[in-house]
Amino acid sequence: MPSRPDQDFLDRTADRLAALPAVGAVTLGGSRAQGTERPDSDWDLGIYYRGAFDPDDLRAVGWEGEVGELGAWGGGVFNGGAWLTIEGRRADVHYRDLDVVEHAWAEARQGRFRVEPLMFHIAGIPTYLLVAEAAVNTVLRGELPPVTAYPAALRHSAADRWYDTAAATLAYAEAGHAPRAAATQVAGAIALAATQTAHAVMAARGAWVTNEKGLVERAGLGETDALLSALEATPDGLARAVTEAGTLFRHAVAAARR
């Protein structure tokens, strides 16, 4: 059990992380940064480094848990981190390269981004996730690149790209899976398209997204749950579900664009 008040724990932990070589900033993210945490929520901490960061320096602190190498979480945007227990509290530490963050912000201002696959994420993650973190997370130590308002160019490009991908996902499900009564594939396609559409809706609203948790609900697409619960494993039933999903998603994006 934690023996120290949360703020004392956070201050001590942030100080130790900020003292690691090459680390220029430390942030608090996740539910605790947004005030939506539960008593058992873990602590999401980001360490922003410049140049050569060595995970061995984090291991040397001596906290219990697993410290990954750079790139161990798939490389790209999500380039690694650690699962730790610090003073009786569960903490996830994410590695963030400041040069990469600054590049993602420059690209986002021009409306450019990539989508990368990431374990546990249905639709993958956009490279502007790094910018979203810098915008919404709490800086505990150091400084991050100043992220201003959601770029207008990104609102248009991200909404278009995510929704076009969702529409293509549904079109393939209707043509390739529904006629074969492939319920699993159709259900998966609708879930994927719902997540892609949710990204489109949030982009059109100019609202940052840092992960997929609660994303479908935030985007007003909760009706997808009922649609999937009532799925009929027949060609006609599956085709009807795809059509209903397409209508729901199209209206949600149109409303967000208005």
Side-chain angles (χ1 to χ4, degrees), residues 178 181-191 224-234 236-245:
T184 297
Q185 284 93 333
V186 170
I190 291 174
T224 308
D225 292 345
L227 192 156
L228 289 174
S229 296
L231 207 61
E232 298 177 14
T234 64
D236 287 346
L238 296 175
R240 185 165 53 250
V242 171
T243 299
E244 291 175 1

Side-chain angles (χ1 to χ4, degrees), residues 24-27 47-48 96 98 101-102 130 133-135 137-139 141-147:
V26 178
T27 64
I47 51 176
Y48 289 77
R96 295 289 183 264
L98 280 166
V101 174
E102 290 170 352
L130 295 179
E133 291 177 337
N137 290 352
T138 301
V139 179
R141 299 292 184 273
E143 295 182 355
L144 292 183
V147 174

Side-chain angles (χ1 to χ4, degrees), residues 115 121 123-126 128-129 150 155 158-159 162-163 192-205 207 209-212 215-216 219 221 253:
V115 177
H121 287 66
I125 57 172
Y128 59 79
L129 175 143
Y150 200 107
R155 290 181 67 158
W162 282 113
Y163 180 63
L192 172 57
T195 308
Q196 293 164 334
T197 302
H199 274 291
V201 167
M202 300 307 286
R205 291 177 184 171
V209 172
T210 58
N211 58 55
E212 290 183 350
L215 177 58
V216 170
L221 299 173
V253 172

Side-chain angles (χ1 to χ4, degrees), residues 108 110-113 152-163 203:
Q110 300 300 317
R112 296 191 293 263
F113 68 97
L154 186 64
R155 290 181 67 158
H156 293 293
S157 66
D160 288 348
R161 178 172 172 183
W162 282 113
Y163 180 63

